[in-house]
Amino acid sequence: MYQLAHVDKKFPGVHALKSVDFQIGRGEIVGLVGENGAGKSTLMKVIYGAYQPDGGQILIDGKTVRFANPRAAMEQGIGMVFQEQSLIANLTVMENIFLGYEQQFVRFGVINWKAMAAAASAQLAKVKLEIDPATITSALSFAQRQLVELAKVLTLEERVQGDLVILLDEPTSVLAEDEVKLLFKLVRELTARASFIFVSHRMDEVMELSDRIYVMKDGAVVDVVARGEKTVEQIQHKMVGRNVDKEYYREQRQIPYDAGRELLRMEGVSLPGRISDISLTLHAGEVLCLVGTEGSGREAILRTIYGMRTPLTGTVTIKGQEITRFTPRNAVERGVGYVPRERKIEGIVAGMNVYENMTLSQMGRHSRAGVLRIGGERALARDWISRLSIKASSELADCGNLSGGNQQKVVLAKWRSGGSDIMLLDHPTRGLDIGAKEDVYDMIRDMSEAGVGIVLVADTLEEAIGLSHSIIVVKDGAIQKRFDCQPGAKPSLYDLLHYMI
Amino acid sequence: MDFQRFKPHLPWITLLVLIALVGVVDDTFLRPANLLSLAGDIVPLFIMALGLTFAIYIGGIDLSAQSMANLITVVASVYLASMGAWVALLCVIVGFGLGMISGYVTTRLLVPSFISTLAVGGVAFSLAQYLSGQRALNMDAMQRDAVFGWMIGKTGMIPNELFIAAGLLAITLFIERRTTLGRALKAVGAGEPAAAASGLNVARYKILAFAISGALAAIAGLLFSVKLSGGAPTIANGFLLPAIVAVLVGGTPLTGGVGGVLNTAIGTLIVAVIRASMLYFDIQATQQQMVFGLVLIGAIALTIDRAKLRIVK
Amino acid sequence: MTGRFSREAVIRWAPLLVLIALVILFTAINPQFFSLRNFARITISSAPALMVAVGVTFIILMGSIDLSMEGVISLTAVLFCMAFVRFGGNLAAGGWLAMPLILALGAGIGFVNGLIHVRLRIPSFMASLAMGFVGTGAAVLLTGGDIVKVDDDVFRGLLTYRVLGFPLMVYVAVVFLGLGWFLQTRTTLGRNFYAVGGGEDLAHASGLNVRRVRIAGFTLAGVFYAVAAILQVAKLGQAESVTGANFMFISITSVVVGGVALWGGVGGVWNALVGVLIVNTINNGMVVIGLPDYVQDGMLGLLVIVAVVLSTDRRAAIVVK
């Protein structure tokens, strides 16, 4: 039905797509996997009309088509559900659904809000979302927004004669487990009306949902796998081009932590509306994982330790000293480092180079009377670039231009080079490809060996189980259960899920 | 030639082209003495623009600069007699202090700097009116020459004001490039959330940026009052917009984190050359402002590096 | 959740509460403040400012800024007077023709302003600032520094003819405010301003022609500035190259005080109205209670800060610039 034949796309210095063949049938769900830089996003952009291919053809029902822009693609029934936050927060749900297509509700220049609300309700019914279409979007949860997003794309159904192809780009990245299940159920039901292309970093999800999986590497499709044909490891092997270590999470490197050295203690810490009565301890060399659904309070715990929030009750003690003033400055001075989830916003400063980013948290150490010793900074950056094999042209490269994995290494180097020995990692592997993820896992083990205490909020439950010495399950801002995770005696997914939901 | 690499150099290329253009029309323009006096005349504007650079560099704006300079001309005129040379210190302290208030209101009370600095400017204006009794004041000429005469003299053929400007440029350039303060301001301008998450005391640095802006506006006001040998609550009016323009034309966009004081030096010169060129192109007084606006659009279109602006708002 | 509801309600009504508090405050100090005559005075000074504020509100909603109003008002006011005189010098004889002409001219200037901003990709702050210079410059050029007068009792009736104690120009302003509200709530263009301000790249990705919306916004603002110019001429009976002076800061301050967010997407014309009334009430109240004139600027500054602190939702902004 929809087909790409020998599609080529070149950018200056990069051959992004190499003669890609791709097809999708009516009602089919096709997975698309590959490492970062494998060409997935370029391929998607070609499909939804943001890029025009340099060579090859796009065929719909055997007829060649060409899209000048995303809108042209939409008119042929191709819609895109963007990753996250692609709804405009200050508009109502119905305005978002019909953004750019309001004209159908306009009579003599006046918008008929009632008609729009009725039409929006009809769209929301398709995704089984029962909300008032006049709700301001910012009041919705992430999961609800994702569904509104889908409802918006499904308006194509009325507008377009013929079949629909809907791209789902990492639709699950902000969803909790149960919400993912609901979404998958919905997508399966909707195959009666549309075909789906599903893109995700989470292999298990791709395997679960897709009828076929396209595997991409270096701008080419290297394999097409039918459901159940291959294992996760085999597909990952294709993606990476080598065997992914069975010991993916470096469990063989997990050594017992030093229970005698306590780095951090929280006692009865509460933040109204976010967390209540949190008590935990972190020891030297320990990897402590906080597990819970989105909004369960994991991030609030990290931010409280880091001093970005001041608790109403309870105490936080770092290395034996009770914290009285909660500021990041204070935490940093006591050796706390924070790797935030929003790497591009809070992690690195785009527009500043590698050495400037690395010393940002420790300028005092590289200056005398406020005057920087730039030679020293640059030497330090060069040292860490080689130690972590950061792919940057030099310490003068703009951090904003590095790939996600290398940006994350810069953030980690920022804290490690400053000697931080309590690391707070919030989704440190989010959006990274397998190679970069493994580097991060190695770094976590290195830090653990060096006696650093780590509080981790992991991207997936498997990651949490694999990496941690201890797991604390958080739900609705309160601790539900603590697990010990010695190698060989780790809790199962089910054990954790039981306490999460 | 690769245009991307060429772009950051556009401000000073624009400046050279403008100078060459005016020079072709009238070669007296290019005489060193003429260029030097031209440069000397714009020093107060330059110093104010230098201060504004700090506010704009962190992604804010300082609309109080002009009122601040006004106030300082009054303060200098009133207290020169009693304080002598120390009045200079008083001026800088007043500017720094009022700038800190702007910064405090912006960062702690979360009032956009557009409003907070405007409001502090209103306060400065009221103070100036109160101190001056709402009239123009004169300095005692003898005392002015004795205390501050060196500011407006000449060394050889070079106006001393240029040394002051160069000195301040060197100091601010040093702050921007070589100190933790400069680095922190860059981080705040380019990525405030990341700066905060790195443990920087963002609010303190922002307050400092506004304070520096205020202090430099005060120095501009002091120099201005010495030049005119007096002060009045409205004497420096008409400085603010050209100073902002100088910063922007130089290539420090309002989004912050890019550009810097060196850019402002070039931007001020561009503004000065455009203004001076009106004489050489025989543009009548009634036409000048309109032509200034039109040339400005051209200059801005040429000099801003759009690659560094994500969205043009 | 009642907590959130009440917070939202407070934010929504805070500017109005601040206005009421100011009225009570000034009345308590000098009861003469609370009189029809004085309210008429406040609304007369507010009427032109309100038109500017409504115009710039649309721009600020898009997350842009427009600093061209002073130049545009000076130029349109001067041209209005000239055209009015040219068409016979009184409303009945053909002077009324000047009105649609000037509104169209305002639209034209706004259009050029938007075009420069969008096509040359110059940030609106700089583009509109330069356009302001051009406008003021053109006004200087046209008048040669002189004053142009309009002597027509019928036209001046906008100021002198009163209905229920308020002069006609106030009603004109109210009508245009209503027009602004209609545009904002009931038309695609108005809603698109919110979309652009809420997320420009997202709006673009949804197939919205953001450039066209922006240019339309600046054009619309130009029309409102032209209305302000006509009202200002009606108020003063004359125009010159400085007729537009002071409108820039006052209008933007008013809009922010009224609760429109400078980063775009939040607020609307009602906020502009309340903001303009707050600022003009402060100005008027300071005179009525007999504050010495040299403290008034400083006092206005302080009160504006207090008003912004009390009346706007600054928690929504991650970064305040």
Side-chain angles (χ1 to χ4, degrees), chain C residues 20-35:
Chain C
I20 293 169
L22 280 168
V23 171
I24 294 172
L25 175 77
F26 287 127
T27 306
I29 299 175
N30 184 350
Q32 281 177 4
F33 177 85
F34 200 89
S35 65

Side-chain angles (χ1 to χ4, degrees), chain B residues 109-110 113 126 306 311 313, chain C residues 120 124 200 294 298 314 321:
Chain B
L109 302 183
L110 302 177
S113 58
S126 276
R306 294 172 184 78
I311 291 182
K313 277 193 172 175
Chain C
L120 296 182
S124 55
E200 178 163 354
Y294 60 83
R314 289 148 301 123
K321 283 184 171 168

Side-chain angles (χ1 to χ4, degrees), chain B residues 90-162:
Chain B
L90 175 72
C91 289
V92 174
I93 289 173
V94 169
F96 195 87
L98 281 173
M100 274 181 78
I101 294 175
S102 295
Y104 181 86
V105 173
T106 306
T107 55
R108 304 285 183 195
L109 302 183
L110 302 177
V111 176
S113 58
F114 194 100
I115 303 296
S116 62
T117 55
L118 200 56
V120 169
V123 173
F125 184 55
S126 276
L127 276 175
Q129 282 183 306
Y130 170 73
L131 275 177
S132 66
Q134 288 169 284
R135 58 196 165 78
L137 304 172
N138 287 310
M139 288 180 175
D140 178 58
M142 292 280 287
Q143 194 175 13
R144 178 197 76 161
D145 290 342
V147 179
F148 293 123
W150 57 272
M151 279 188 176
I152 48 176
K154 277 190 176 186
T155 306
M157 63 187 297
I158 303 173
N160 283 351
E161 288 157 292
L162 282 183

Side-chain angles (χ1 to χ4, degrees), chain B residues 62 67 69 79 81 85 92 120 223 262:
Chain B
D62 185 357
S67 309
Y79 293 103
V92 174
V120 169
L223 185 58
L262 215 49

Side-chain angles (χ1 to χ4, degrees), chain A residues 263-264 301-311 316-319 321-339 361-362 365 415 418-424 453, chain B residues 196-201:
Chain A
L263 294 177
L264 169 75
I301 295 175
L302 290 188
R303 293 205 164 217
T304 306
I305 300 171
Y306 192 57
M308 290 176 113
R309 300 195 178 284
T310 304
V316 177
T317 313
I318 295 176
K319 294 172 196 164
Q321 275 183 299
E322 192 181 321
I323 304 293
T324 49
R325 280 191 60 230
F326 285 83
T327 64
R329 175 85 261 165
N330 214 343
V332 170
E333 270 163 15
R334 286 157 204 269
V336 181
Y338 175 50
V339 178
S361 60
Q362 39 166 335
R365 211 179 309 237
W415 298 114
S420 299
D421 52 5
I422 299 173
M423 291 293 291
L424 313 173
Chain B
S198 293
L200 296 187
N201 189 339

Side-chain angles (χ1 to χ4, degrees), chain A residues 137-409:
Chain A
T137 309
S138 57
L140 303 183
S141 73
F142 282 120
Q144 285 174 321
R145 289 187 208 189
Q146 198 78 56
L147 292 176
V148 171
E149 191 94 43
L150 191 56
K152 177 179 176 176
V153 171
L154 287 172
T155 58
L156 287 175
E157 208 177 348
E158 281 87 46
R159 271 207 302 275
V160 176
Q161 300 287 321
D163 302 299
L164 299 188
V165 177
I166 294 173
L167 289 102
L168 302 171
D169 181 17
E170 301 273 357
T172 59
S173 57
V174 293
L175 303 188
E177 300 276 340
D178 49 339
E179 294 164 343
V180 171
K181 288 211 164 59
L182 279 175
L183 178 71
F184 283 8
K185 188 159 166 277
L186 189 65
V187 168
R188 285 200 196 94
E189 287 174 22
L190 288 170
T191 53
R193 318 180 197 187
S195 319
F196 288 88
I197 299 170
F198 178 58
V199 182
S200 177
H201 274 101
R202 298 180 179 171
M203 282 305 293
D204 50 336
E205 291 177 359
V206 180
M207 306 272 291
E208 184 192 332
L209 189 65
S210 316
D211 300 318
R212 286 185 302 135
I213 299 171
Y214 281 81
V215 185
M216 291 193 73
K217 182 176 182 295
D218 297 334
V221 172
V222 291
D223 202 0
V224 185
V225 184
R227 181 188 289 280
E229 208 175 77
K230 288 196 172 132
T231 63
V232 173
E233 283 77 20
Q234 284 169 317
I235 293 176
Q236 281 177 342
H237 177 85
K238 284 277 184 190
M239 277 165 59
V240 187
R242 61 185 166 78
N243 265 321
V244 176
D245 193 351
K246 272 274 184 195
E247 294 290 341
Y248 188 46
Y249 298 113
R250 308 292 186 266
E251 276 177 48
Q252 77 280 14
R253 293 187 55 198
Q254 180 168 338
I255 53 168
Y257 59 84
D258 181 356
R261 261 182 66 210
E262 184 183 294
L263 294 177
L264 169 75
R265 172 181 286 273
M266 293 176 90
E267 274 175 284
V269 173
S270 295
L271 269 173
R274 292 178 188 273
I275 50 176
S276 58
D277 198 26
I278 298 288
S279 300
L280 55 83
T281 53
L282 178 73
H283 301 91
E286 180 178 2
V287 179
L288 171 69
C289 234
L290 301 177
V291 166
T293 53
E294 193 69 36
S296 59
R298 299 170 304 178
E299 191 174 56
I301 295 175
L302 290 188
R303 293 205 164 217
T304 306
I305 300 171
Y306 192 57
M308 290 176 113
R309 300 195 178 284
T310 304
L312 198 69
T313 57
T315 57
V316 177
T317 313
I318 295 176
K319 294 172 196 164
Q321 275 183 299
E322 192 181 321
I323 304 293
T324 49
R325 280 191 60 230
F326 285 83
T327 64
R329 175 85 261 165
N330 214 343
V332 170
E333 270 163 15
R334 286 157 204 269
V336 181
Y338 175 50
V339 178
R341 166 195 287 207
E342 300 288 342
R343 183 170 53 239
K344 286 199 162 79
I345 297 171
E346 291 192 325
I348 58 138
V349 181
M352 300 224 306
N353 60 39
V354 174
Y355 81 80
E356 287 172 332
N357 265 290
M358 273 191 197
T359 56
L360 194 55
S361 60
Q362 39 166 335
M363 285 193 293
R365 211 179 309 237
H366 295 278
S367 61
R368 185 172 297 146
V371 180
L372 290 160
R373 286 189 299 258
I374 290 174
E377 291 182 275
R378 291 180 61 173
L380 173 108
R382 277 197 298 273
D383 178 33
W384 281 88
I385 285 174
S386 70
R387 265 212 246 179
L388 302 181
S389 46
I390 298 172
K391 287 197 193 86
S393 56
S394 76
E395 71 274 17
L396 299 174
D398 182 345
C399 262
N401 294 336
L402 300 183
S403 74
N406 287 306
Q407 286 179 346
Q408 197 66 300
K409 287 180 184 177

